[in-house]
Amino acid sequence: SSVSTPIRATLFPGDGIGPEIADSVKQVFSAAEVPIEWEEHYVGDTIDPRTQSFLTWESLESVRRNGVGLKGPMATPIGKGHRSLNLTLRKELNLYANVRPCYSLPGYKTRYDNVDLITIRENTEGEYSGLEHQVVRGVVESLKIITRQASLRVAEYAFHYAKTHGRERVSAIHKANIMQKTDGLFLKCCREVAEKYPEITYEEVVIDNCCMMLVKNPALFDVLVMPNLYGDIISDLCAGLVGGLGLTPSCNIGEGGIALAEAVHGSAPDIAGKNLANPTALLLSAVTMLRHLELNDKAEQIQNAILNTVAEGKYRTADLGGSSSTSDFTKAICDHL
Amino acid sequence: SSVSTPIRATLFPGDGIGPEIADSVKQVFSAAEVPIEWEEHYVGDTIDPRTQSFLTWESLESVRRNGVGLKGPMATPIGKGHRSLNLTLRKELNLYANVRPCYSLPGYKTRYDNVDLITIRENTEGEYSGLEHQVVRGVVESLKIITRQASLRVAEYAFHYAKTHGRERVSAIHKANIMQKTDGLFLKCCREVAEKYPEITYEEVVIDNCCMMLVKNPALFDVLVMPNLYGDIISDLCAGLVGGLGLTPSCNIGEGGIALAEAVHGSAPDIAGKNLANPTALLLSAVTMLRHLELNDKAEQIQNAILNTVAEGKYRTADLGGSSSTSDFTKAICDHL
Ligand SMILES: CC(C)[C@H](C(=O)O)[C@@H](O)C(=O)O
Ligand SMILES: CC(C)[C@H](C(=O)O)[C@@H](O)C(=O)O
């Protein structure tokens, strides 16, 4: 059974506050007796020519082999000749869908109540093609690439997610009134997939209007699927509705069923090593990893412990208006298990 | 003086609810004795080959001649062989900056208090280039074009606006961490202009982070300047913070000092002709036109009458939760003058 043969998962603690919040996950997982054995990998300090970045080839191999991983914040070192760490991971592991559940945390008040949204972002192409050039002096262009293959793949993921998670509606977010060909192809693919899921309501919403509706009444939406840049923008907007990136989980899905969960907030070097960081986003991301592994009981148990600790309000880190240390907050979660 | 020789201004009532809300502006302006003579132009029902759209050449000439205009909502008729009316106006009149003040209306409660932002959007290029093509079957691309000329022009407008309107800070919104060349050029131009305005604080904010900060705490921003699509998205988001596009003014600035104010909401064909439409956005847009003409006393007087009527809450249209007709609301504004 799962207790006797632990599941191996890759752990990238990352930089800055990464190691501290990764410790928090390790403690909570061990208190909950989650049958996971971590394989830790750090970002290197030289460029690995096989990845063209500070990520080592071995660390990528580890995720490929294990099929699951958890990633803390990684600040891309400044300098030339290498790629962003986040983009390298997406590219090398073909992480085609970024899934970000965004829900109100009971007891943590923001301007919005009962938010419960899922943003699903195409994670490999669009405005992130990296294709740019100067046409003549003072005139530059970037290429946005949309393919049928990547659009169908993320649309399929979104509808499948909706169906298997009891969701009722998928909204495709676009600007096809202006980018008729690129966003038009994205919508065409979403429509094709929608036909296969008659039980899920499908709608199309223009991105500007979507952002206005989200800030007026987020309850109008359920699952949102969209091209890369719109996903980048809207997932952050949604995180803002419930308190910010320190509280929201994220999971990247790759070809062949790879899942790399990650905290999408920054590495906060100013408070690194001071036992002040809030591990909530990484913990909730780790929970999405457990669900991916179908360790649903453990996932539920840990998620409840996190949410109850936040709701109780006795132990909160400074970013949430409290004065708890990372370790006291973590201990409180373990006590709630 | 201005009373004896009225200023001529072009008026596009537009479609749907357009004529009703334009009537409201005419009534309020006449009650306030604004020295303006309207030159009305309607959208045609055949394509004018000189504009490649349903906008007549004469109507564009009217704006060019008068230098100022006011525009209601225009729904682009469905079909082929013609351009969007809004885009045609921007292109033909070279409306390079779209200025959208966004402030909380006293007495009209939303989740946010004391919002007071100005978004300034580059309005002619970027993702709106219209350059798109299929590369091979299933692979399409759109070109985003950023030029030094258009970026400097809108940055200059934004800083000049900030300086002349008592604003303290300009934030350039971008995604230069991904689109290093295009958004990088935009930022470079903003920095160049910022150097000429040492009294204005200048900062750069990545668009995803900007959206998160806006929904968490809009008071963090003052004047925002950005490329076309980001402006489209963020101006709608900001409008959502204070109640939506039915309440927020917009003004387009063109080369040679042209100003075309417009309500950016839709033409609401479902309620057209029923005396139910809310004229606030068009009225407040008309006020920005008066300020452009330096008719500041009239602008102030009318703006106060509008805001006081909304604040009083006795006469409100259905979209604001009231049951007033367009004409009763308009009459209430006139009574407040
Ligand atoms: C850091 C940056 C390159 C990244 C992105 O734009 O995708 C981030 O905003 C994210 O959402 O993961
Ligand atoms: C109608 C549409 C083409 C337009 C745009 O995208 O610019 C609208 O959203 C706006 O902001 O004026």
Side-chain angles (χ1 to χ4, degrees):
Chain A
S1 85
S2 61
V3 176
S4 49
T5 55
I7 299 163
R8 294 184 73 81
T10 307
L11 179 62
F12 293 102
D15 326 297
I17 57 171
E20 292 158 82
I21 60 177
D23 265 347
S24 172
V25 172
K26 288 188 268 183
Q27 282 168 43
V28 172
F29 270 39
S30 115
E33 297 179 0
V34 179
I36 278 191
E37 202 169 279
W38 296 110
E39 234 178 76
E40 277 188 47
H41 286 273
Y42 285 83
V43 176
D45 49 17
T46 54
I47 295 172
D48 186 323
R50 292 165 298 177
T51 66
Q52 288 170 60
S53 85
F54 291 89
L55 284 168
T56 64
W57 184 254
E58 287 70 29
S59 65
L60 298 184
E61 277 300 304
S62 164
V63 185
R64 287 195 193 98
R65 190 171 56 241
N66 296 328
V68 283
L70 179 67
K71 169 189 168 289
M74 289 181 184
T76 295
I78 292 167
K80 295 249 156 162
H82 63 87
R83 294 191 294 177
S84 140
L85 302 176
N86 290 306
L87 299 190
T88 302
L89 281 166
R90 291 177 201 167
K91 198 129 219 163
E92 294 293 330
L93 300 173
N94 211 348
L95 301 173
Y96 67 85
N98 176 230
V99 184
R100 295 224 220 153
C102 178
Y103 46 85
S104 302
L105 272 68
Y108 183 68
K109 254 199 92 50
T110 68
R111 292 183 162 92
Y112 299 85
D113 295 320
N114 303 319
V115 175
D116 184 16
L117 300 166
I118 310 286
T119 64
I120 299 185
R121 163 184 181 183
E122 202 294 319
N123 217 14
T124 65
E125 57 178 32
E127 307 77 357
Y128 285 63
S129 71
L131 300 168
E132 292 187 292
H133 65 276
Q134 189 183 62
V135 183
V136 294
R137 224 180 125 77
V139 180
V140 286
E141 63 186 31
S142 313
L143 267 59
K144 165 171 169 173
I145 310 284
I146 298 286
T147 68
R148 181 169 159 77
Q149 190 231 340
S151 304
L152 283 175
R153 184 171 63 173
V154 75
E156 185 61 63
Y157 188 86
F159 278 93
H160 182 258
Y161 185 101
K163 183 173 176 170
T164 54
H165 289 72
R167 298 274 169 175
E168 285 169 11
R169 186 206 304 239
V170 171
S171 310
I173 313 304
H174 68 95
K175 189 78 193 178
N177 49 339
I178 295 300
M179 282 161 281
Q180 299 179 1
K181 294 199 179 160
T182 47
D183 285 5
L185 175 58
F186 184 81
L187 289 184
K188 190 165 173 292
C189 294
C190 289
R191 278 176 216 154
E192 269 181 54
V193 176
E195 299 233 320
K196 299 197 288 167
Y197 292 83
E199 67 279 32
I200 309 283
T201 306
Y202 172 66
E203 64 169 6
E204 296 170 355
V205 185
V206 180
I207 182 164
D208 44 339
N209 195 236
C210 175
C211 290
M212 188 170 66
M213 288 162 79
L214 278 169
V215 300
K216 286 185 75 170
N217 184 10
L220 295 170
F221 295 100
D222 188 350
V223 176
L224 298 95
V225 63
M226 54 222 139
N228 211 339
L229 182 67
Y230 308 156
D232 182 52
I233 294 170
I234 287 190
S235 59
D236 270 36
L237 188 167
C238 290
L241 301 176
V242 301
L245 297 178
L247 297 173
T248 51
S250 167
C251 190
N252 298 289
I253 305 298
E255 288 286 8
I258 283 183
L260 182 63
E262 63 170 338
V264 285
H265 56 67
S267 59
D270 49 319
I271 59 160
K274 297 190 177 152
N275 198 17
L276 292 171
N278 180 359
T280 304
L282 193 66
L283 281 162
L284 291 176
S285 299
V287 168
T288 70
M289 192 190 87
L290 294 181
R291 292 199 199 276
H292 184 84
L293 289 167
E294 296 188 350
L295 296 173
N296 289 322
D297 292 349
K298 294 291 180 199
E300 201 63 20
Q301 194 191 347
I302 294 175
Q303 179 165 350
N304 287 338
I306 300 165
L307 297 186
N308 289 336
T309 305
V310 172
E312 211 177 63
K314 214 172 132 198
Y315 296 95
R316 279 188 185 166
T317 46
D319 57 315
L320 302 187
S323 59
S324 277
S325 63
T326 310
S327 47
D328 285 349
F329 177 69
T330 304
K331 191 173 169 308
I333 294 171
C334 295
D335 292 345
H336 270 93
L337 280 169
Chain B
S1 84
S2 60
V3 176
S4 49
T5 54
I7 299 163
R8 294 184 73 82
T10 306
L11 178 63
F12 293 102
D15 325 299
I17 57 171
E20 291 159 84
I21 60 179
D23 265 347
S24 171
V25 173
K26 287 189 268 182
Q27 281 167 43
V28 172
F29 271 39
S30 113
E33 296 180 1
V34 179
I36 277 191
E37 200 169 283
W38 295 109
E39 233 178 76
E40 276 188 48
H41 285 273
Y42 285 83
V43 176
D45 49 17
T46 54
I47 296 173
D48 186 322
R50 290 164 298 177
T51 67
Q52 288 171 59
S53 87
F54 291 90
L55 283 169
T56 63
W57 184 254
E58 287 70 29
S59 65
L60 299 183
E61 277 300 304
S62 164
V63 185
R64 287 196 193 99
R65 191 173 53 240
N66 296 327
V68 284
L70 178 67
K71 169 187 167 292
M74 290 181 184
T76 294
I78 291 168
K80 298 247 155 161
H82 63 89
R83 295 190 293 176
S84 140
L85 302 177
N86 290 306
L87 299 190
T88 302
L89 281 166
R90 291 177 201 167
K91 197 129 222 163
E92 294 293 329
L93 300 174
N94 211 348
L95 300 172
Y96 66 85
N98 177 231
V99 183
R100 294 225 221 153
C102 179
Y103 46 85
S104 302
L105 271 68
Y108 182 69
K109 254 198 90 52
T110 70
R111 292 182 162 91
Y112 299 84
D113 296 319
N114 303 319
V115 175
D116 183 16
L117 300 165
I118 309 286
T119 63
I120 298 183
R121 163 184 182 184
E122 201 295 316
N123 217 15
T124 64
E125 58 177 30
E127 307 78 358
Y128 285 63
S129 71
L131 300 169
E132 292 188 294
H133 66 275
Q134 190 183 60
V135 182
V136 295
R137 225 179 125 78
V139 180
V140 285
E141 62 185 33
S142 313
L143 267 60
K144 165 172 169 173
I145 311 284
I146 299 285
T147 68
R148 182 169 158 78
Q149 190 231 339
S151 303
L152 283 175
R153 185 172 61 174
V154 75
E156 185 60 62
Y157 188 84
F159 278 93
H160 183 258
Y161 184 100
K163 184 172 174 171
T164 53
H165 289 72
R167 299 272 169 177
E168 285 169 11
R169 185 206 306 236
V170 170
S171 309
I173 313 304
H174 68 96
K175 190 78 195 178
N177 48 340
I178 295 300
M179 282 162 280
Q180 300 180 1
K181 294 199 179 161
T182 46
D183 285 5
L185 176 57
F186 184 80
L187 289 183
K188 190 164 173 290
C189 293
C190 289
R191 279 176 214 151
E192 269 181 54
V193 176
E195 300 233 319
K196 299 197 289 168
Y197 292 84
E199 68 279 31
I200 309 283
T201 305
Y202 171 66
E203 64 170 4
E204 296 170 355
V205 185
V206 180
I207 180 161
D208 44 340
N209 195 236
C210 175
C211 290
M212 188 171 65
M213 289 163 78
L214 277 170
V215 301
K216 287 185 74 171
N217 184 9
L220 294 170
F221 295 100
D222 189 349
V223 175
L224 298 94
V225 64
M226 54 222 140
N228 211 339
L229 182 67
Y230 309 156
D232 182 51
I233 294 170
I234 288 190
S235 60
D236 269 36
L237 188 167
C238 289
L241 301 175
V242 300
L245 296 180
L247 297 173
T248 49
S250 168
C251 189
N252 297 289
I253 304 297
E255 288 285 9
I258 283 183
L260 182 63
E262 63 171 338
V264 285
H265 57 66
S267 59
D270 50 320
I271 59 160
K274 296 189 176 152
N275 199 17
L276 292 171
N278 181 357
T280 305
L282 193 65
L283 282 162
L284 291 176
S285 299
V287 167
T288 69
M289 191 190 89
L290 294 181
R291 291 198 201 278
H292 185 84
L293 290 167
E294 297 187 349
L295 295 173
N296 289 322
D297 292 348
K298 295 291 178 196
E300 202 63 21
Q301 194 192 347
I302 294 174
Q303 179 164 350
N304 287 338
I306 300 166
L307 298 186
N308 289 336
T309 305
V310 172
E312 212 179 62
K314 213 172 132 197
Y315 296 96
R316 277 187 186 166
T317 47
D319 58 314
L320 301 188
S323 59
S324 278
S325 63
T326 310
S327 46
D328 285 348
F329 177 70
T330 304
K331 189 171 170 310
I333 295 170
C334 294
D335 292 345
H336 270 94
L337 280 169

